[in-house]
């Protein structure tokens, strides 16, 4: 038991366990965080997360441009640790979760750069689709538990919610949204 | 968030423009329902403009459909139907059609009726959906017919309209307190426009010159937005929706023996009591657990 545990930890810390040239991964929700922060009255930052994230990605180490990333998030799963505020954020004043239940991203181009992968794709939020580009860092692999191959990435991006038609209550709730997505995929 | 001063300006402008439009229409010898619809429509959309609210194009959300389709549609329909003096059966049928159309229009593309997450994922299965739409339409048409009856029976051009404006005002506040601030806000200039035109109409107008349909459909739309897209509770929505019918109570014996002005005040007062009770309930709930944004 102890031996297998140490082996697993060593595998995680070691990273880079020889993945095949093109591997497909399913997002592991338990090890994936889609978080955001937004200014409140210009005074403080409200932090929130989405609790229902799914998706898959395909990574081709030999030919990064053929890699693909797709993510879907349920709008209604947003969580700012305040039920009343979450209900308001789900209303048409913000996300309109009944009308636009899903936030999604689908890559259209991936390019290897010095610090990771530069991913361009279509972000659909509040029913509006716009192109976004961000740097995806990480890409390490691990086997944990034994037999389960993982790969993970992290990215930060900033968007203006008004660009997506989510333009009510600005500036009480800030226009600029800081998003961080950190995800692990399990190899299919 | 809307500044109180801006809100006051919007409501005052909505009331004054609708009153002036009505007065000018009457002064020019143009009575009738279409002047009423024009007055309420101008006042309402001016109030919205001052608040910075407008339907967006292309239409995508419930509020866009409410402001860009439902209200212009009912204003036009009321103006045409009432001005043409359609027979009562045809008018009742038109009311049923208009009332039934509101829910499908407002809920179009929402997760209630669309399989966003794969086949069969809509919140309302197909059979339920049409039952709900039919039920809401029938309830609205019955309410509408009841209000027309009260208006005719009372002979008052303004009692039903002021009752509707009171309910719209309460509905707007209740929806704002139920997590959908911008949806509830749209009801306030509607209430102001109806009150403005009603005050002007109270001088010389006859009951057939005014139309309760605009106020009722506006009330229904705001309540639906609050209940389906916000967190307005069904019981509160039902009370607010039915409250204008209380304006008809003074037509029952022995209250019907009272003077017409007293009956109007009593009818509007009864409506206001029901509206205040429903709005106070939402306020208490809001105050109990609100920290909000």
């Amino acid at each position: 038991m102890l031996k297998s545990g140490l082996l697993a930890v060593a595998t995680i810390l070691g990273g880079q366990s020889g993945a095949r040239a093109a591997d497909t991964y399913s997002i592991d929700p338990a090890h994936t965080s889609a978080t955001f922060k937004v200014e409140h009255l210009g005074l403080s930052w409200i932090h929130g997360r989405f609790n229902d994230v799914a998706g898959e990605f395909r990574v081709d180490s030999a030919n990064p441009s053929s890699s693909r990333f797709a993510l879907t998030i349920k709008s209604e799963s947003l969580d700012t640790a305040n039920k009343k505020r979450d209900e308001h954020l789900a209303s048409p004043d913000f996300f309109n979760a009944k009308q636009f239940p899903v936030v999604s991203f689908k890559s259209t181009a991936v390019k290897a750069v010095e610090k990771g992968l530069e991913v361009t794709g279509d972000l659909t939020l509040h029913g509006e689709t716009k192109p976004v580009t961000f740097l995806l860092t990480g890409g390490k692999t691990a086997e944990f538990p034994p037999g389960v191959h993982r790969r993970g990435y992290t990215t930060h991006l900033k968007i203006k919610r008004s660009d997506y038609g989510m333009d009510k209550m600005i500036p009480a709730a800030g226009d600029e949204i800081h998003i961080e997505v950190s995800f692990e995929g399990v190899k299919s | 968030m809307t500044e109180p001063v801006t809100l006051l300006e919007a409501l005052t402008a909505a009331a004054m423009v609708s009153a002036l439009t009505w007065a000018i229409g009457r002064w020019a010898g143009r009575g009738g329902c279409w002047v009423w619809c024009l007055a309420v429509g101008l006042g309402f959309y001016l109030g919205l403009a001052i608040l910075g609210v407008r339907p967006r194009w292309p239409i995508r959300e419930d509020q866009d459909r409410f402001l860009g389709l439902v209200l212009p549609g009912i204003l036009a329909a009321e103006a045409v139907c009432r001005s043409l003096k359609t027979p009562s059966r045809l008018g009742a049928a038109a009311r049923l059609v208009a009332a039934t159309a509101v829910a499908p229009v407002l809920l179009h593309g929402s997760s209630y009726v669309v399989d966003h997450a794969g086949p069969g994922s809509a919140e309302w299965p197909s059979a339920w959906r049409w039952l709900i739409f039919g039920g809401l339409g029938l309830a609205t048409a019955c309410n509408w017919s009841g209000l027309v009856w009260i208006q005719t029976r009372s002979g008052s051009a303004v009692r039903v309209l002021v009752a509707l404006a009171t309910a719209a005002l309460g509905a707007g506040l209740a929806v704002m307190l139920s997590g959908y601030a911008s949806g509830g806000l749209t009801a306030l200039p509607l209430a102001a426009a109806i009150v403005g035109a009603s005050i002007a109409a109270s001088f010389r107008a006859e009951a057939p010159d005014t139309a309760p349909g605009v106020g009722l459909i506006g009330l229904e739309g705001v309540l639906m937005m609050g209940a389906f897209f916000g967190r307005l509770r069904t019981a509160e929505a039902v009370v607010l929706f039915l409250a204008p019918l209380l304006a008809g109570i003074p037509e029952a014996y022995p209250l019907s023996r009272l003077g017409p002005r007293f009956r109007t005040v009593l009818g509007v007062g009864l409506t206001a009591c029901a509206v205040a009770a429903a709005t106070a309930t939402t306020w208490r709930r809001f105050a109990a657990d609100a920290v909000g944004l």
Side-chain angles (χ1 to χ4, degrees), chain A residues 93-168:
Chain A
D93 285 340
F94 295 95
F95 281 88
N96 200 351
K98 292 290 183 190
Q99 191 77 50
F100 310 117
V102 170
V103 178
S104 66
F105 173 79
K106 195 170 184 183
S107 68
T108 53
V110 178
K111 190 168 76 177
V113 293
E114 190 186 346
K115 291 180 178 174
L117 296 173
E118 186 183 273
V119 180
T120 300
D122 293 326
L123 175 64
T124 302
L125 168 65
H126 198 249
E128 191 84 38
T129 301
K130 301 267 182 195
V132 292
T133 299
F134 51 82
L135 178 68
L136 212 50
T137 57
K140 288 183 179 177
T141 59
E143 186 180 344
F144 180 78
V148 178
H149 295 273
R150 297 168 175 274
R151 185 187 285 263
Y153 291 95
T154 297
T155 189
H156 301 79
L157 70 154
K158 278 191 286 187
I159 60 166
K160 282 192 171 183
R161 63 185 177 97
S162 58
D163 290 343
Y164 294 82
M166 199 191 289
D167 54 5
K168 291 170 188 160

Side-chain angles (χ1 to χ4, degrees), chain B:
Chain B
M1 299 295 285
T2 305
E3 295 291 332
V5 174
T6 310
L7 183 60
L8 197 62
E9 283 172 359
L11 301 190
T12 306
M16 288 185 69
V17 165
S18 64
L20 274 173
T21 307
W22 172 265
I24 291 168
R26 295 292 288 185
W27 175 74
R30 304 284 180 187
C33 190
W34 73 266
V35 176
W36 166 262
C37 292
L38 181 68
V40 172
L42 282 177
F44 173 57
Y45 283 100
L46 177 71
L48 283 182
I50 293 171
L51 291 172
V53 179
R54 58 180 172 77
R56 282 176 294 193
W57 190 264
I59 284 173
R60 295 188 312 158
E61 296 186 74
D62 55 299
Q63 204 180 113
D64 303 329
R65 286 188 284 274
F66 178 62
L67 300 176
L69 294 176
V70 171
L71 280 175
I74 193 62
L75 279 164
E78 278 277 65
V80 170
C81 287
R82 297 287 292 266
S83 297
L84 291 177
K85 295 184 171 46
T86 49
S88 58
R89 280 186 186 177
L90 198 59
R95 282 198 288 273
L96 184 60
V97 170
T100 309
V102 177
V105 170
L106 290 182
L107 297 175
H108 174 76
S110 71
S111 57
Y112 292 105
V113 295
V114 173
D115 296 334
H116 285 293
S121 62
E123 288 181 43
W124 296 343
S126 187
W128 271 108
R129 190 178 311 167
W130 295 111
L131 207 62
I132 292 167
F133 288 163
L136 287 169
L138 194 62
T140 307
C142 289
N143 195 346
W144 197 340
S145 296
L147 294 173
V148 169
W149 179 84
I150 295 167
Q151 196 177 40
T152 309
R153 168 98 179 187
S154 67
S156 167
V158 299
R159 186 197 304 180
V160 164
L161 303 167
V162 175
L164 276 169
T166 306
L169 179 67
L173 295 174
V175 171
M176 290 172 83
L177 293 169
S178 302
Y180 188 177
S182 63
L185 189 66
T186 58
L188 307 188
L190 179 65
I194 292 173
V195 167
S198 299
I199 289 170
S202 66
F203 292 105
R204 278 178 55 190
E206 301 294 328
D209 291 335
T210 59
V214 178
L216 181 67
I217 295 296
L219 175 65
E220 182 195 14
V222 169
L223 291 172
M224 274 190 193
M225 291 196 297
F228 293 128
F229 294 95
R231 301 279 171 175
L232 182 66
R233 290 190 178 172
T234 307
E236 289 149 7
V238 169
V239 170
L240 288 163
F241 180 65
L242 297 177
L245 288 173
L246 295 175
I249 287 182
E251 295 311 308
Y253 184 82
L255 297 173
S256 58
R257 297 177 67 182
L258 297 168
R261 285 191 180 172
F262 190 79
R263 279 185 285 140
T264 293
V265 171
L266 183 61
V268 173
L270 288 169
T271 299
C273 286
V275 169
T279 311
T281 309
T282 56
W283 168 254
R284 272 201 299 273
R285 199 171 60 250
F286 175 81
D289 56 5
V291 175
L293 267 172

Side-chain angles (χ1 to χ4, degrees), chain A residues 7 29 31 41 43 51 62 65 67 85 92 99 102 118 120 127-128 137 139 155 166 169 171 178 185:
Chain A
L7 180 66
H31 297 97
L41 300 172
L43 301 175
N51 293 323
S65 63
S67 299
R85 181 168 57 214
Q99 191 77 50
V102 170
E118 186 183 273
T120 300
E128 191 84 38
T137 57
T155 189
M166 199 191 289
M169 301 203 174
H178 295 243

Side-chain angles (χ1 to χ4, degrees), chain A residues 7-78:
Chain A
L7 180 66
V9 171
T11 309
I12 294 166
L13 293 174
Q16 305 294 350
S17 75
R20 286 198 308 268
D23 294 317
T24 302
Y25 296 84
S26 297
I27 294 282
D28 173 13
H31 297 97
T32 294
S33 301
T35 62
F36 61 89
K37 66 174 184 176
V38 60
E39 272 190 311
H40 176 240
L41 300 172
L43 301 175
S44 64
W45 292 91
I46 301 300
H47 292 250
R49 57 173 287 137
F50 291 95
N51 293 323
D52 193 328
V53 184
E56 63 174 26
F57 57 93
R58 178 177 176 272
V59 179
D60 189 337
S61 304
N63 181 19
S65 63
S66 69
S67 299
R68 298 283 179 269
F69 295 86
L71 201 69
T72 58
I73 295 170
K74 284 193 179 166
S75 310
E76 214 150 31
S77 74
L78 67 88

